[in-house]
């Protein structure tokens, strides 16, 4: 059973009499533990697809199965619970609260979870330690470097031990060194069992993945497994 399965997903945006197609008959599967990059140029449908995969938007046509069950069979409460418990999100703009500490930012998702409050501090610190930010836990997020902000965002995404982590252009606002560290961290998370879905327009970032789904004009142009040499090439870019 696939973790994610899309069957003929299409998305059409309507504004009065004007209709704008964004996705056309998208079909693919993602297995638990895969590291998949979804890439393509601006306007290819990457963001629309991410929003559908993360339950932030719904398709116009087609079927989406998560954990073997059609999302139309989940209640709104179920979808909210899955989004909080089984999905983690990392964004290019970090989306941190600037006047709160690293610790407070990371702990935030637990307020909306069913985890016992007595465990929140320990879980948050465990995630912060995994991200290598223990020494910055009590610093305001506004005091962090770009790489530290993104690692804080990753730690926040990890607190609920999600099955799948969506990383939306995670290196877009970072220098080459910090970008390489973030990609290596995502690779490490994949190696310990997290499914990673990377949204990117950069080939060298996508080459950290095991598989690249390339979108063009809202359609799947290609879906290829990445061999070791290509994955090495992505690492070499950040090492320059």
């Amino acid at each position: 059973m696939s973790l994610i399965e899309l069957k003929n997903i299409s998305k059409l945006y309507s504004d009065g009499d004007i209709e704008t197609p964004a996705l056309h008959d998208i079909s693919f599967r993602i297995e638990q533990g895969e590291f998949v990059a979804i890439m393509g140029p601006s306007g290819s449908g990457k963001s629309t697809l991410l929003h559908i995969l993360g339950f932030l938007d719904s398709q116009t046509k087609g079927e989406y199965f998560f954990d073997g069950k059609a999302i139309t069979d989940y209640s709104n409460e179920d979808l909210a619970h899955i989004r909080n418990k089984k999905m983690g999100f990392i964004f290019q703009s970090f989306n941190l609260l600037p006047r709160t500490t690293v610790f407070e930012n990371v702990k935030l998702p637990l307020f909306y979870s069913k985890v016992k409050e007595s465990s929140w501090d320990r879980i948050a610190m465990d995630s912060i330690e995994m991200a290598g930010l223990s020494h910055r836990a009590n610093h305001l997020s506004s005091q962090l470097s770009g790489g530290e902000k993104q690692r804080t965002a990753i730690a926040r995404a990890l607190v609920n031990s999600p099955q799948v982590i969506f990383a939306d252009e995670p290196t877009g606002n970072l220098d080459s060194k910090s970008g390489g560290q973030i990609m290596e961290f995502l690779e490490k998370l994949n190696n310990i069992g997290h499914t990673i879905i990377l949204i990117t327009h950069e080939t060298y970032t996508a080459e950290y993945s095991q598989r690249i789904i390339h979108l063009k004009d809202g359609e799947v142009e290609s879906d290829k497994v990445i061999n070791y040499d290509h994955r090495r090439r992505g690492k070499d870019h950040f090492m320059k």
Side-chain angles (χ1 to χ4, degrees), residues 64 149 174 188:
Y64 176 11
K149 288 179 179 178
L174 304 178
K188 176 182 175 181

Side-chain angles (χ1 to χ4, degrees), residues 117-129:
E117 186 174 353
S118 59
S119 301
W120 291 358
D121 288 0
R122 175 185 56 78
I123 293 171
M125 280 307 303
D126 285 347
S127 292
I128 290 169
E129 288 174 9

Side-chain angles (χ1 to χ4, degrees), residues 29-38 183 186-198 203-213 223-232 235:
R29 295 180 179 183
I30 295 176
E31 306 301 327
Q32 176 66 41
E34 277 198 273
F35 189 155
V36 178
I38 297 174
M183 292 310 304
L186 289 176
E187 188 175 51
K188 176 182 175 181
L189 294 175
N190 178 244
N191 288 338
I192 63 175
H194 293 280
T195 304
I196 308 293
I197 298 178
L198 171 70
T203 300
Y204 56 83
T205 303
E207 285 171 349
Y208 273 80
S209 70
Q210 301 157 347
R211 174 184 168 200
I212 297 178
I213 297 172
D223 185 345
K224 297 180 179 179
V225 174
I226 302 301
N227 61 37
Y228 176 80
D229 289 341
H230 279 82
R231 299 187 76 190
R232 182 70 255 174
K235 295 174 177 63

Side-chain angles (χ1 to χ4, degrees), residues 36-190:
V36 178
I38 297 174
M39 69 175 303
S42 177
S44 62
K46 300 189 305 295
S47 295
T48 299
L49 183 56
L50 169 66
H51 290 162
I52 290 173
L53 290 172
F55 301 165
L56 303 173
D57 198 358
S58 58
Q59 68 271 21
T60 306
K61 295 180 181 178
E63 296 177 287
Y64 176 11
F65 296 86
F66 185 87
D67 248 355
K69 185 176 178 179
I71 63 167
T72 51
D73 292 335
Y74 289 110
S75 67
N76 289 335
E77 183 179 353
D78 290 336
L79 293 176
H81 174 72
I82 293 171
R83 193 163 52 238
N84 179 260
K85 176 61 181 174
K86 296 187 177 183
M87 297 178 173
F89 296 87
I90 305 163
F91 299 99
Q92 178 179 347
S93 57
F94 317 128
N95 289 0
L96 301 177
L97 300 176
R99 297 180 182 178
T100 56
T101 65
V102 168
F103 177 75
E104 290 166 332
N105 269 284
V106 171
K107 191 167 71 168
L108 185 62
L110 296 170
F111 283 86
Y112 306 100
S113 73
K114 295 182 179 179
V115 176
K116 292 181 179 179
E117 186 174 353
S118 59
S119 301
W120 291 358
D121 288 0
R122 175 185 56 78
I123 293 171
M125 280 307 303
D126 285 347
S127 292
I128 290 169
E129 288 174 9
M130 180 176 284
L133 288 171
S134 298
H135 63 298
R136 303 291 268 170
N138 294 317
H139 285 70
L140 298 178
S141 61
S142 58
Q143 297 174 318
L144 305 179
S145 68
E148 289 171 335
K149 288 179 179 178
Q150 194 58 290
R151 279 191 285 159
T152 300
I154 294 175
R156 181 182 58 192
L158 289 174
V159 291
N160 283 319
S161 299
Q163 283 182 275
V164 56
I165 296 173
F166 295 100
D168 187 9
E169 303 281 4
T171 66
N173 284 332
L174 304 178
D175 59 47
S176 181
K177 180 179 178 181
S178 297
Q181 291 172 342
I182 294 302
M183 292 310 304
E184 288 174 3
F185 190 31
L186 289 176
E187 188 175 51
K188 176 182 175 181
L189 294 175
N190 178 244

